Amino acid sequence: MNNTAASPMSAAASSSGRSVGKSISFASELQIMMFSLGDARRPLHETAVLIEDVVHTQLINLLQQAAEVSRLRGARVISDEDLLFLMRKDKKKLRRLLKYMFFRDYKSKIVKGIDEDDLLEDKLSGSSNTNKRQKTAQDFLNSIDQTGELLAMFEDDEIDEVKQERMERAERQTRIMDSAQYAEFCESRQLSFYKKASKFRDWLDCSSMEIKPSVVAMEILAYLAYETVAQLVDLALLVRQDMVTKAGDPFSHAISATFIQYHNSAESPAACGVEAHSDAIQPCHIREAVRRYGHKIGPLSPFTSAYRRNGMAFLAC
Amino acid sequence: MVGPLPMEEETYLELYLDQRAAQDDLTQPRSPLPSSIVPFDVFMPNSSTPETAFSSLLEEVEEASGDFSSVDLSFLSDELTQENKDPAVARSKHEIEESCKTPSQPLPSEQDAGPDLNSRLSNSHSHLHPGDADSVQPSLEKSTFLPLASITPMTPMTSVSECSGTVPQLQNVVSTANLACKLDLKKIALQARNAEYNPKRFAAVIMRIREPRTTALIFSSGKIVCTGARSEEQSRLAARKFARVIQKLGFPARFLDFKIQNLVGSCDVRFPIRLEGLVLTHQQFCSYEPELFPGLIYRMVNPRVVLLIFVSGKVVLTGAKERSEIYEAFKNIYPILKNFEKA
């Protein structure tokens, strides 16, 4: 995996990505994000590296599939519609994505009304910008919707349980903080892949792709990356909770059995089985979470090949 | 019986004096401004129950408001002296608002009258603007000695009507007007100073004036949008000035259908706010996505105002068509925010 004979181009352009041993790493940003999503004050670096790995792989796969869809359409750029198409199977996640896009539109509309300069900027740029994301999303879903359930999502006002759980967790976390800690927490919550857009593009190695994603598609990808991280943290926290052996729990030995299979030899089972002295999420939690997520449990699981084909279950869609 | 507190004493005295002045001035139609303070007369013992006093005073306020509209129309005259009046009006208005705010604290027994009082007060606030600045100043200076013992002191309530002590300040006013004639944008752009016109980008002339510092979008249909003013009067004045510029360029411009489209106000509650708690308990009104925007967006239904709430305690209110809506929205949100104060 060494590229000593590589052309000078690859040295100059740091976007050779994973094959050279990532020169672009989001590990430190991920640590901040993990803290904002419910991890300890100082998340572990190894966990961040592992999460980065998982997110990167999934996003690359997603991009390739989207490029495929785009090519079938005969388009020259990957648009947000291609990504929506890929997500059509999972209604809850799709709904969350749509809500996010609408919020984006809504927020720009409001902020525009406040600042006079923004208002002029918007007028000058030939505004049909209001709700443009919402319009394209709605039009697209209209076109692919055959059973009417996708469009029903727009009127759907159900509570998003995952989001609810995240809000409650954040609320619990912030209640015990003092104002300095809280200020720090708020700042870390504001970090997103979208803020580091160019680094994000390079990380995904977009420039070497044939069909590149559009601006809105990049927004969605940044959102999906963030969602993946959030899902991983959610699941890892659940796994960690499971691992705490409760006294008198008849299945406690069974839990540690599944866990022992996956833990690193360096980490002692005791440290991971009982609540670790550092509250941070360990890589073993993440691995277990990914394993469980990809593992289809149920009577028909040996016959479902949908995810096996791709090798990894997508966390974001 | 609790003795009057020294701090509140002078504000009560001020109000009492104002009320006295108002009673003197109410005979003349030109100075209804102090009458907005009159509702606080509910503390005066000259009525059997505060409720009846309140309702009788309301009638007075209504009448005064009626008189006010005649004052309002006179403001329409195209006088440059309006400029001089504006800062004075803003100043006196602020003073009155400050002094109006504090007594809202001791309102325990009139729980039913309370919210009503405040909303009425905020309605009368909206008539304050074209007030007569000159009549306010002398009335405040009248120093007649009046006994304070007649004011029944009340224990301040802590839960419901907490006074914030701050009033939202208007930051931006967006208004529209109709000049009722077709305009040649190219001619305007060539002849007027401070005008931009780029037909390929946008089909309107962008004109700016320095006093009040505002920007207008002027369309060929004759409609204009005026932004950047700090108050409703300034916005109206600015729109008139733009109309006059167009007039001087030779177009038969008139000034019709002036309408305030949006008011933006901002405020600081001066304590940090725990937004996560707020978004959880007021889910149906709040949206908070810190990765996208650091503020929480609160969509208040009554009045229909959108508030942007930040961790630092700064609050931005927008979407209001009237000043009273901004004040009312802030009054509504303050106790909620206080609940989520981050110690």
Side-chain angles (χ1 to χ4, degrees):
Chain A
M1 273 256 193
N2 58 354
N3 279 15
T4 43
S7 63
M9 295 287 270
S10 70
S14 61
S15 52
S16 337
R18 304 195 61 225
S19 51
V20 192
K22 269 183 299 251
S23 39
I24 304 179
S25 173
F26 269 107
S28 47
E29 285 91 348
L30 279 174
Q31 279 178 293
I32 298 174
M33 275 189 223
M34 284 157 65
F35 168 54
S36 74
L37 287 166
D39 197 0
R41 178 63 198 85
R42 304 227 178 276
L44 296 178
H45 182 72
E46 307 89 67
T47 323
V49 167
L50 179 57
I51 289 188
E52 186 183 5
D53 212 5
V54 173
V55 173
H56 191 261
T57 318
Q58 296 216 339
L59 277 184
I60 295 280
N61 279 335
L62 191 62
L63 256 182
Q64 283 171 351
Q65 290 200 358
E68 194 51 43
V69 172
S70 206
R71 206 176 50 80
L72 288 174
R73 257 188 338 136
R76 283 180 307 144
V77 290
I78 299 178
S79 79
D80 49 332
E81 292 154 344
D82 300 319
L83 290 167
L84 283 175
F85 179 74
L86 286 176
M87 288 190 68
R88 68 194 185 284
K89 295 269 169 61
D90 191 332
K91 274 183 45 191
K92 288 204 181 116
K93 296 192 178 123
L94 184 55
R95 217 172 100 234
R96 210 176 300 144
L97 170 62
L98 289 170
K99 283 217 164 101
Y100 176 84
M101 286 166 69
F102 300 164
F103 180 81
R104 246 214 141 98
D105 281 338
Y106 181 64
K107 168 223 129 196
S108 22
K109 188 164 72 160
I110 293 184
V111 173
K112 219 171 29 187
I114 291 177
D115 197 0
E116 153 200 359
D117 297 326
D118 276 352
L119 176 69
L120 291 180
E121 271 304 309
D122 171 72
K123 293 272 188 235
L124 288 177
S125 59
S127 73
S128 49
N129 280 351
T130 40
N131 294 351
K132 78 167 175 193
R133 293 180 189 89
Q134 183 173 1
K135 276 197 215 113
T136 51
Q138 245 169 344
D139 291 337
F140 175 67
L141 287 178
N142 216 339
S143 64
I144 64 170
D145 193 12
Q146 298 192 318
T147 55
E149 52 177 16
L150 288 177
L151 284 179
M153 252 188 336
F154 284 98
E155 284 95 47
D156 202 355
D157 251 349
E158 263 171 35
I159 298 179
D160 188 350
E161 289 136 5
V162 176
K163 222 162 162 85
Q164 180 78 10
E165 196 192 309
R166 285 184 202 161
M167 282 203 287
E168 286 172 8
R169 190 186 313 138
E171 201 270 328
R172 258 179 282 132
Q173 213 177 347
T174 53
R175 214 186 300 162
I176 52 178
M177 292 182 183
D178 68 19
S179 53
Q181 290 173 331
Y182 181 63
E184 229 186 316
F185 180 78
C186 277
E187 273 212 42
S188 50
R189 271 198 83 167
Q190 291 172 24
L191 183 62
S192 76
F193 286 103
Y194 190 66
K195 295 233 164 64
K196 311 251 174 180
S198 51
K199 185 173 174 187
F200 185 62
R201 273 192 103 96
D202 292 338
W203 186 58
L204 287 177
D205 204 11
C206 289
S207 40
S208 69
M209 288 174 59
E210 268 182 37
I211 308 183
K212 299 196 187 0
S214 70
V215 172
V216 185
M218 280 310 285
E219 281 176 12
I220 298 186
L221 282 171
Y223 167 75
L224 288 178
Y226 186 79
E227 254 307 290
T228 312
V229 177
Q231 291 260 12
L232 279 172
V233 173
D234 283 347
L235 295 171
L237 287 173
L238 270 177
V239 166
R240 188 175 69 182
Q241 198 181 345
D242 274 352
M243 284 185 181
V244 173
T245 51
K246 299 181 243 317
D249 185 347
F251 288 99
S252 58
H253 62 278
I255 291 176
S256 20
T258 17
F259 155 68
I260 285 172
Q261 224 178 345
Y262 287 93
H263 83 273
N264 212 338
S265 52
E267 296 158 286
S268 70
C272 273
V274 185
E275 198 72 33
H277 40 253
S278 94
D279 279 336
I281 297 178
Q282 315 281 331
C284 53
H285 301 136
I286 304 280
R287 278 188 222 110
E288 174 67 11
V290 172
R291 183 196 71 85
R292 285 197 205 174
Y293 191 81
H295 181 54
K296 287 272 188 175
I297 303 169
L300 290 178
S301 59
F303 305 103
T304 55
S305 62
Y307 288 126
R308 244 154 274 262
R309 204 188 323 136
N310 302 332
M312 188 191 283
F314 284 123
L315 282 147
C317 62
Chain B
M1 192 80 139
V2 184
L5 303 166
M7 188 190 69
E8 288 167 4
E9 201 177 89
E10 48 187 53
T11 45
Y12 275 121
L13 180 57
E14 251 183 68
L15 291 168
Y16 198 81
L17 294 176
D18 289 344
Q19 191 255 339
R20 280 274 167 258
Q23 283 177 352
D24 293 338
D25 288 348
L26 269 176
T27 49
Q28 310 151 21
R30 279 283 293 175
S31 51
L33 188 59
S35 68
S36 65
I37 312 203
V38 170
F40 287 109
D41 206 30
V42 74
F43 303 119
M44 300 308 157
N46 19 339
S47 48
S48 46
T49 58
E51 297 269 41
T52 54
F54 173 65
S55 47
S56 65
L57 287 166
L58 272 188
E59 282 153 22
E60 278 183 286
V61 175
E62 301 281 35
E63 282 171 49
S65 313
D67 283 344
F68 240 123
S69 48
S70 62
V71 178
D72 193 8
L73 286 174
S74 75
F75 175 79
L76 279 184
S77 66
D78 213 7
E79 239 64 270
L80 277 176
T81 51
Q82 292 294 4
E83 277 178 73
N84 302 331
K85 276 198 180 172
D86 272 344
V89 172
R91 219 187 325 120
S92 62
K93 194 177 359 129
H94 188 76
E95 283 170 84
I96 289 163
E97 281 158 3
E98 284 294 349
S99 51
C100 280
K101 269 290 180 178
T102 41
S104 67
Q105 228 170 344
L107 268 182
S109 44
E110 281 90 31
Q111 286 224 27
D112 306 314
D116 209 24
L117 171 82
N118 284 331
S119 63
R120 287 295 192 162
L121 182 66
S122 48
N123 277 337
S124 62
H125 267 145
S126 57
H127 295 295
L128 271 178
H129 327 136
D132 206 350
D134 311 309
S135 73
V136 175
Q137 311 294 4
S139 65
L140 285 178
E141 284 155 27
K142 278 202 191 135
S143 54
T144 12
F145 174 72
L146 295 154
L148 276 177
S150 50
I151 304 175
T152 34
M154 301 179 181
T155 50
M157 271 188 76
T158 43
S159 48
V160 174
S161 53
E162 257 193 59
C163 183
S164 61
T166 47
V167 180
Q169 301 297 315
L170 281 192
Q171 299 294 340
N172 187 18
V173 178
V174 178
S175 57
T176 53
N178 188 1
L179 304 182
C181 68
K182 290 275 172 277
L183 300 176
D184 180 354
L185 296 184
K186 208 149 72 160
K187 180 176 173 203
I188 295 173
L190 287 172
Q191 296 189 333
R193 282 178 288 174
N194 303 328
E196 295 171 33
Y197 182 43
N198 203 339
K200 281 195 218 141
R201 286 181 80 193
F202 190 52
V205 166
I206 301 169
M207 196 183 291
R208 296 171 216 268
I209 56 174
R210 268 196 302 253
E211 182 55 47
R213 210 171 80 75
T214 46
T215 308
L217 300 174
I218 304 173
F219 295 85
S220 53
S221 60
K223 300 236 170 81
I224 66 172
V225 177
C226 174
T227 69
R230 289 298 191 118
S231 75
E232 302 91 316
E233 312 86 78
Q234 281 196 7
S235 195
R236 195 190 193 102
L237 175 65
R240 284 199 157 277
K241 287 196 177 180
F242 285 116
R244 217 169 329 126
V245 168
I246 301 294
Q247 228 175 32
K248 288 192 180 149
L249 287 176
F251 296 93
R254 296 158 66 199
F255 192 69
L256 305 177
D257 308 329
F258 176 77
K259 181 169 180 223
I260 305 278
Q261 298 291 346
N262 189 24
L263 294 172
V264 179
S266 75
C267 205
D268 190 357
V269 299
R270 294 206 198 97
F271 52 79
I273 305 171
R274 196 166 62 92
L275 298 177
E276 279 78 11
L278 181 57
V279 75
L280 195 60
T281 45
H282 288 75
Q283 272 181 56
Q284 64 272 51
F285 303 117
C286 299
S287 323
Y288 179 43
E289 301 280 345
E291 320 92 66
L292 274 187
F293 186 60
L296 183 152
I297 302 186
Y298 191 107
R299 252 177 296 198
M300 193 175 282
V301 174
N302 189 16
R304 257 195 52 158
V305 171
V306 174
L307 299 97
L308 303 180
I309 303 166
F310 297 87
V311 181
S312 56
K314 300 245 175 12
V315 179
V316 174
L317 307 99
T318 179
K321 291 267 194 302
E322 285 187 24
R323 188 184 281 250
S324 58
E325 291 175 4
I326 299 255
Y327 293 146
E328 198 184 334
F330 183 66
K331 193 178 60 71
N332 291 344
I333 202 79
Y334 186 80
I336 298 174
L337 296 181
K338 191 84 185 144
N339 230 350
F340 291 102
E341 174 174 3
K342 190 75 197 153

